[in-house]
């Protein structure tokens, strides 16, 4: 099993107006990729401008964190939107972030769904297809962060979009390889040292232990890249990102930004 390129990513820029974290510099200092909210679940023009500039200054790669149109629910509610409309809404969000990235002297190199869209599209054929279609028509060289063995993963491969297997340092897993609902116990892991050790295990073994004790495969054996996510709104996110970065470096893994497909 060859060592993959390791990306440490975070969902970030998730404020709106006066709400949200105004200083995300410390967290940005411990990751190599920033999944920036594009305005549909969080993020406004000021935040997009500030967050893309910060990522550019730190040499952190920028990804469009796209969502259902759901500011009130922070993108954590399923929206039964028509597939064609969802394609256009995702294109709209990617385009907004591309504009601010260009102003900051950098570019968007990948896309990741947020919240309910991420979880629903793992099994929802139409919404998975919409995510992949949006990436394909905007720029097929953009890479796509998603979970392995999902509808999104399979459809990306079929369309020639390069997926990167994403695993979650701070979230519980079901035995089916899906994320435990935030409504249930075991959904969130907040112990930084435990999370860091689990991150190293996920990279080396390509597996994670579910809340029921089963071993779940999270990346293909031949995966050339693996992304580990720490959510910016997890309690102690900076401490967890720092501990994860340290553990990965101590085990010989260099954190890399996410580039476009060649």
């Amino acid at each position: 099993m060859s060592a993959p390129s390791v990306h440490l990513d975070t969902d970030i820029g998730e404020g709106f107006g006066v709400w949200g974290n105004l200083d995300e510099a410390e967290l940005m200092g411990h990751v190599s990729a920033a999944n920036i909210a594009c305005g549909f679940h969080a993020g406004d023009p000021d935040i997009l401008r500030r967050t893309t500039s910060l990522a550019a200054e730190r040499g952190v790669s920028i990804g469009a964190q796209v969502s259902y149109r759901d500011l009130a629910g922070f993108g954590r509610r399923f929206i039964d939107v028509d597939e064609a409309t969802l394609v256009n809404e995702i294109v709209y969000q990617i385009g907004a972030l591309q504009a601010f990235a260009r102003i900051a002297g950098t570019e968007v190199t990948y896309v990741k769904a947020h919240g309910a869209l991420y979880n629903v599209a793992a099994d929802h054929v139409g919404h998975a297809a919409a995510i992949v279609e949006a990436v394909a028509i905007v720029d097929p060289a953009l890479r796509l962060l998603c979970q392995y063995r999902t509808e999104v993963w399979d459809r990306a491969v079929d369309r020639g979009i390069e997926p990167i297997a994403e695993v979650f340092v701070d979230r519980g897993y079901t035995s089916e390889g899906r994320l435990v609902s935030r409504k249930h116990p075991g959904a969130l892991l907040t112990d930084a040292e435990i999370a860091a050790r689990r991150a190293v295990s996920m990279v080396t073994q390509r597996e994670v232990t579910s809340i029921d004790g089963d071993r779940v495969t999270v990346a293909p054996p031949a995966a050339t890249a693996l992304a580990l996510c720490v959510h910016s709104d997890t309690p102690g996110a900076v401490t967890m990102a720092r501990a994860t970065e340290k553990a990965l470096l101590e085990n010989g893994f260099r954190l890399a930004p996410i580039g476009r497909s060649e």
Side-chain angles (χ1 to χ4, degrees), residues 35 92 127 164 180 188 198:
N35 318 318
Y92 183 97
H127 288 192
I164 297 176
V180 175
L188 199 62
R198 190 174 76 153

Side-chain angles (χ1 to χ4, degrees), residues 1-7 200 202-206 219-226 248 251-254 256:
M1 184 183 294
S2 59
S5 177
V6 178
H7 316 292
V200 173
M202 286 191 287
V203 173
T204 56
Q205 302 298 319
R206 319 279 168 96
T224 58
L226 191 67
L248 289 167
N251 282 272
F253 296 103
R254 182 182 65 85

Side-chain angles (χ1 to χ4, degrees), residues 57-108:
E57 291 168 4
R58 297 297 179 94
V60 172
S61 53
I62 290 175
Q65 188 191 175
V66 299
S67 171
Y68 290 128
R69 186 190 292 271
D70 183 27
L71 273 175
F74 194 63
R76 288 181 175 162
R77 302 180 295 188
F78 169 66
I79 306 295
D80 190 14
V81 59
D82 179 77
E83 183 179 329
T85 298
L86 183 57
V87 170
N88 292 333
E89 290 185 342
I90 294 171
V91 168
Y92 183 97
Q93 292 175 80
I94 297 171
L97 190 63
Q98 284 178 322
F100 284 106
R102 189 176 304 116
I103 292 169
T106 184
E107 63 177 346
V108 174

Side-chain angles (χ1 to χ4, degrees), residues 20-39:
N21 186 358
L22 295 178
D23 185 7
E24 298 180 308
E26 189 174 6
L27 178 59
M28 195 82 83
H30 297 288
V31 300
S32 62
N35 318 318
I36 300 177
C38 299

Side-chain angles (χ1 to χ4, degrees), residues 8-11 14 27 31 35 76 112 166-173 179-182 184-199 202 208-209 211 227-241 244:
L8 185 57
D9 68 282
T10 188
D11 294 352
E14 292 183 315
L27 178 59
V31 300
N35 318 318
R76 288 181 175 162
K112 173 190 171 178
E166 184 179 37
V167 296
F168 292 83
V169 175
D170 54 4
R171 293 295 306 277
Y173 279 79
L179 299 181
V180 175
S181 169
R182 288 180 180 268
H184 299 292
L188 199 62
L189 182 65
T190 58
D191 187 301
E193 294 305 321
I194 292 175
R197 290 195 297 271
R198 190 174 76 153
M202 286 191 287
V208 66
T209 301
I211 59 171
L228 299 104
C229 180
V230 174
H231 290 90
S232 63
D233 60 354
T234 293
V238 172
T239 300
M240 185 175 292
T244 301

